[in-house]
C-alpha cells in the first residue's frame, strides 16, 4: 500500500515535469531537426555529465530567441529519450531548470565506473541516513554519523578520497541530490544547517529502495521502517495528508525506536 502511494507520488512528479515541458508549446506544430535543435541537443548532452541542472536561459543564445527554444524543446526531449535513453525533467521552482535522468538507471554499483562508485556509495549512505532520521538532519549530526563509519569529512579517506566536505556541502547540493538549508532564529544564535533529499534524489531513487537497503544493513524487516516511509510520503504530498489510522499507529516500531537503532550502529 505504501509502495503504491510512493509510486503514485513519483508518477505525479514525473507527470508534472513532462506537462511543464510539453506546455511550452502554444499549439501543436511540426518542427524539423535543424541547426537550432542540434545546438540545444548537443548543449544538454555535454552538460548532463556533471549532473548540474541546466538553466533554461542558457539555451536561449543557442537559438534565434526564447520563442524558438520553446518551440523546439519538445522535439529535443523526444530525441533525448529515443536516441539516448535520457529523460529531460523540469525542476520545480524558478528560474526554470532541467536535469537529465537515465531511463534505465544502474541496478548495481558494478555498472558504474571505478571513479563513480565511491561517490555513489557515499551518497546512498547519506540519503539513507537522512531518510531514517525523518527526512531532515542537522549537518553536525550527519558528519558525526560519517565519523562513526571512519569517514572524517575534513580528512582524506582511502576509498572516498579527499574533499569529502566539499562533495557533501557543494557537489551533491549543486547536483540536486541534497538540499542544504541554513536558518538562524536570531543574530545571537549559531546558524543551523540541515540536509534533506534534493529533487534529483527523489526522481532517481525511491524510498522503497532505501528501506530495502536499510533492512539488510540493520537486519530488520521492512515493516520496521513504516513510519519513516509514511512521514516521507506525507512531506512530499502535504495536501494529501490524513490522520493516522489505528492500523498505521500500531506498527511494530516507532520513530524513536528507529532513531535509537540508527544511533547504536
Amino acid at each position: 500500500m505504501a509502495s503504491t502511494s510512493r509510486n503514485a507520488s513519483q508518477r505525479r512528479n514525473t507527470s508534472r515535469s513532462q506537462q511543464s515541458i510539453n506546455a511550452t508549446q502554444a499549439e501543436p506544430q511540426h518542427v524539423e531537426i535543424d541547426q537550432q535543435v542540434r545546438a540545444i541537443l548537443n548543449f544538454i548532452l555535454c552538460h548532463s555529465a556533471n549532473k548540474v541542472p541546466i538553466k533554461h536561459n542558457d539555451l536561449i543564445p543557442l537559438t534565434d530567441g526564447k520563442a524558438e527554444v520553446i518551440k523546439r524543446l519538445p522535439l529535443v526531449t523526444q530525441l533525448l529519450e529515443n536516441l539516448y535513453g535520457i529523460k529531460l525533467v523540469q525542476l520545480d521552482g524558478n528560474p526554470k531548470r532541467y536535469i537529465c535522468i537515465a531511463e534505465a538507471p544502474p541496478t548495481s554499483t558494478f555498472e558504474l565506473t571505478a571513479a563513480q562508485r565511491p561517490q555513489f556509495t557515499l551518497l546512498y549512505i547519506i540519503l539513507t541516513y537522512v531518510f531514517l532520521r525523518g527526512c531532515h538532519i542537522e549537518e553536525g549530526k550527519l558528519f558525526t554519523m560519517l565519523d562513526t563509519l571512519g569517514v572524517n569529512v575534513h580528512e582524506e579517506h582511502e576509498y572516498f578520497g579527499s574533499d569529502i566536505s566539499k562533495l557533501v556541502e557543494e557537489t551533491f547540493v549543486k547536483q540536486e541530490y541534497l538540499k542544504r538549508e541554513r536558518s538562524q532564529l536570531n543574530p545571537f544564535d549559531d546558524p543551523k544547517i540541515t540536509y534533506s533529499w534534493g529533487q534529483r534524489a527523489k526522481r532517481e531513487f525511491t524510498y522503497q529502495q532505501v528501506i530495502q537497503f536499510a533492512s539488510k544493513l540493520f537486519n530488520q524487516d521492512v515493516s520496521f521502517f513504516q513510519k519513516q516511509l509514511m512521514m516521507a510520503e506525507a512531506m512530499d504530498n502535504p495536501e494529501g495528508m490524513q490522520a493516522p489510522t489505528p492500523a498505521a499507529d500500531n506498527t511494530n516500531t516507532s520513530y524513536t525506536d528507529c532513531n535509537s537503532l540508527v544511533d547504536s550502529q
Side-chain angles (χ1 to χ4, degrees), residues 123-188:
L123 173 65
Y124 211 80
I125 291 172
I126 292 174
L127 290 177
T128 300
Y129 187 69
V130 172
F131 170 79
L132 294 178
R133 294 307 299 260
C135 298
H136 282 84
I137 187 68
E138 293 181 20
E139 185 173 69
K141 293 180 179 179
L142 173 61
F143 288 174
T144 298
M145 181 278 295
L146 291 174
D147 194 53
T148 62
L149 298 179
V151 183
N152 187 323
V153 298
H154 303 295
E155 297 178 0
E156 185 171 354
H157 189 271
E158 60 180 350
Y159 181 69
F160 297 118
S162 58
D163 291 330
I164 298 176
S165 61
K166 181 179 180 182
L167 183 63
V168 176
E169 298 171 16
E170 297 182 26
T171 305
F172 288 159
V173 174
K174 288 180 180 178
Q175 293 174 338
E176 288 286 337
Y177 279 119
L178 292 175
K179 182 178 181 181
R180 188 174 190 259
E181 297 177 286
R182 181 187 180 100
S183 61
Q184 190 170 14
L185 296 178
N186 63 67
F188 303 102

Side-chain angles (χ1 to χ4, degrees), residues 113-259:
T113 66
Q116 292 172 330
R117 284 176 201 146
Q119 285 194 13
F120 181 88
T121 303
L122 181 63
L123 173 65
Y124 211 80
I125 291 172
I126 292 174
L127 290 177
T128 300
Y129 187 69
V130 172
F131 170 79
L132 294 178
R133 294 307 299 260
C135 298
H136 282 84
I137 187 68
E138 293 181 20
E139 185 173 69
K141 293 180 179 179
L142 173 61
F143 288 174
T144 298
M145 181 278 295
L146 291 174
D147 194 53
T148 62
L149 298 179
V151 183
N152 187 323
V153 298
H154 303 295
E155 297 178 0
E156 185 171 354
H157 189 271
E158 60 180 350
Y159 181 69
F160 297 118
S162 58
D163 291 330
I164 298 176
S165 61
K166 181 179 180 182
L167 183 63
V168 176
E169 298 171 16
E170 297 182 26
T171 305
F172 288 159
V173 174
K174 288 180 180 178
Q175 293 174 338
E176 288 286 337
Y177 279 119
L178 292 175
K179 182 178 181 181
R180 188 174 190 259
E181 297 177 286
R182 181 187 180 100
S183 61
Q184 190 170 14
L185 296 178
N186 63 67
F188 303 102
D189 290 337
D190 292 331
K192 184 171 72 173
I193 298 174
T194 59
Y195 289 90
S196 57
W197 280 35
Q199 293 191 61
R200 181 186 288 276
K202 292 181 179 181
R203 286 167 169 83
E204 289 191 8
F205 305 104
T206 68
Y207 297 139
Q208 287 295 339
Q209 288 174 322
V210 170
I211 288 175
Q212 291 292 337
F213 173 71
S215 69
K216 295 177 182 178
L217 182 65
F218 298 114
N219 194 28
Q220 294 286 339
D221 188 82
V222 293
S223 62
F224 187 86
F225 307 99
Q226 183 67 18
K227 285 199 172 182
Q228 277 66 30
L229 177 61
M230 293 171 62
M231 182 183 299
E233 291 180 338
M235 293 177 67
D236 286 347
N237 187 30
E239 66 275 9
M241 287 182 64
Q242 298 178 351
T245 62
D249 200 45
N250 290 329
T251 49
N252 295 333
T253 185
S254 69
Y255 176 64
T256 303
D257 291 337
C258 188
N259 280 346

